[in-house]
Amino acid sequence: MQQSSIIILGIESSCDDTAAAIIKEGKILANVIANQDVHIAYGGVVPELASRAHQQNIVPVVDAALKKAGVSKSELSAIAYTNGPGLLGSLLVGSSFAKSFALGLKIPLIEVNHMQGHILAHFIAAPDEQKKAPLFPFLCLTVSGGHTQIVRVDDFLKMEVIGETIDDAAGEAFDKVAKMLQLPYPGGPLVDKYAQLGNPNRFVFPHPKVDALSFSFSGLKTSVLYFLQKELAKNPNFITENLNDICASVQKTIVDILISKLKNAVKQTNINQIAIAGGVSANSELRKKLEDLKNEGCDVFIPKFEFCTDNAAMIAITGYFKFLQHQFSTQQSIPNARMKL
Ligand code: KG4
Ligand code: ZN
């Protein structure tokens, strides 16, 4: 008898993007995302509004993913969903939907750690693509709005955090500085955009004094705040007149910190397969500076743009690897806002 293909529906709702994706035998067939513009007016994600928007978006987004993939719900092998970390109200919408859909279809449920999903995004391939993925073991710098970690990845489902931030995440640093510069949320992509027109050496900000594999960004945030207050007292137009140079200088500081920690990790572990993941891996300067590591003999892997920021394809591919190992969850499983890797 011919075995049917493994088809996974992935659902992601940990923050402010409602996303669904279909992976068939490890190949991506559909990746649909509904962004929530409702938060822009507030300068950040409002959790209550995020869960309400997820409730409105989840059915149309899943429906669109199935249609785009040309897959009917009866063909699904399992449903993978983000179970944490993230905003509890947002996680509850995705997990409740996934549980009821799986119950109705009588198929297995697979819970996925969002941060593991970001890392395994490196294994998402198009149906006709011969994907060049990192070889195990590899190091992954995972940089998002809530996390900054260096992870040693020994296998698809075997990974360990070997360094992380002791306070703010890199994405948070980008977003908080952007807010000080009166840029709308999320500010990271805008800082990146203005930085491309500026002089990164115009202003100098300090690097934190922490352990070799630890990160800290709260000092940078305070130092940018004091710097802006001082300059604005002298010239109220300081930000508008120097926006590109401020963005370029702050971005250079953040990226230099990330790269120097990654180099420390390469030295300590002797692992030369290097990957980056998470929203900040979309940053153009970080992508460029990774070339330095290539010059030091490392193989560097950068996810496609669409798989850097939050998406459900990364949840579906993780679900696929868990399906192969029969790692299923139950209807009793509850989301964990602070889930660890
Ligand atoms: O992974 P992600 O989409 O969501 C979380 O899991 O947090 O990451 C979002 C973060 C935000 O802080 C956003 O400002 C940042 O990624 N980000 C960027 C860029 N694109 C997204 N930061 C710097 N440069 C970018 N191009
Ligand atoms: Zn994320």
Side-chain angles (χ1 to χ4, degrees), residues 70-263:
V71 163
S72 78
K73 57 185 193 290
S74 61
E75 291 176 275
L76 293 174
S77 312
I79 299 178
Y81 67 98
T82 305
N83 208 31
L87 300 170
L88 191 58
S90 292
L91 292 165
L92 276 166
V93 178
S95 65
S96 309
F97 179 87
K99 283 181 190 176
S100 23
F101 203 21
L103 194 64
L105 294 171
K106 298 189 177 57
I107 55 174
L109 259 181
I110 302 169
E111 60 180 46
V112 171
N113 181 309
H114 179 87
M115 300 313 293
Q116 189 171 34
H118 270 305
I119 294 171
L120 296 180
H122 282 278
F123 298 92
I124 302 168
D128 51 358
E129 185 185 5
Q130 279 308 319
K131 175 98 186 132
K132 193 170 173 286
L135 301 171
F136 300 117
F138 67 89
L139 295 175
C140 188
L141 172 71
T142 317
V143 267
S144 70
H147 291 81
T148 298
Q149 298 177 327
I150 299 178
V151 181
R152 181 194 160 106
V153 186
D154 286 295
D155 207 336
F156 295 114
L157 303 176
K158 187 165 176 255
M159 42 187 84
E160 180 195 0
V161 178
I162 60 168
E164 62 188 324
T165 182
I166 58 168
D167 43 54
D168 294 350
E172 206 175 344
F174 270 106
D175 295 340
K176 284 182 176 166
V177 167
K179 201 166 183 181
M180 291 176 210
L181 299 173
Q182 284 132 37
L183 299 174
Y185 180 86
L190 291 168
V191 171
D192 189 354
K193 182 177 140 198
Y194 292 116
Q196 290 177 33
L197 306 167
N199 172 4
N201 299 314
R202 169 97 184 277
F203 308 112
V204 176
F205 299 104
H207 281 218
K209 291 186 177 55
V210 287
D211 296 344
L213 300 185
S214 297
F215 300 85
S216 166
F217 291 104
S218 68
L220 172 65
K221 183 182 65 188
T222 314
S223 114
V224 174
L225 179 68
Y226 288 161
F227 163 77
L228 290 176
Q229 282 173 347
K230 201 174 98 211
E231 295 299 333
L232 284 169
K234 289 187 268 175
N235 171 11
N237 298 323
F238 179 77
I239 291 179
T240 35
E241 287 171 9
N242 298 282
L243 184 62
N244 297 342
D245 290 347
I246 303 169
C247 287
S249 303
V250 171
Q251 177 170 281
K252 176 186 184 331
T253 312
I254 296 174
V255 170
D256 283 354
I257 293 169
L258 295 174
I259 295 288
S260 80
K261 298 294 176 175
L262 207 40
K263 284 184 179 170

Side-chain angles (χ1 to χ4, degrees), residues 12 14-15 114-115 118 144-147 278-279 308-311 314:
E12 155 63 30
S14 65
C15 190
H114 179 87
M115 300 313 293
H118 270 305
S144 70
H147 291 81
C308 288
T309 44
D310 289 349
N311 64 85
M314 68 187 200

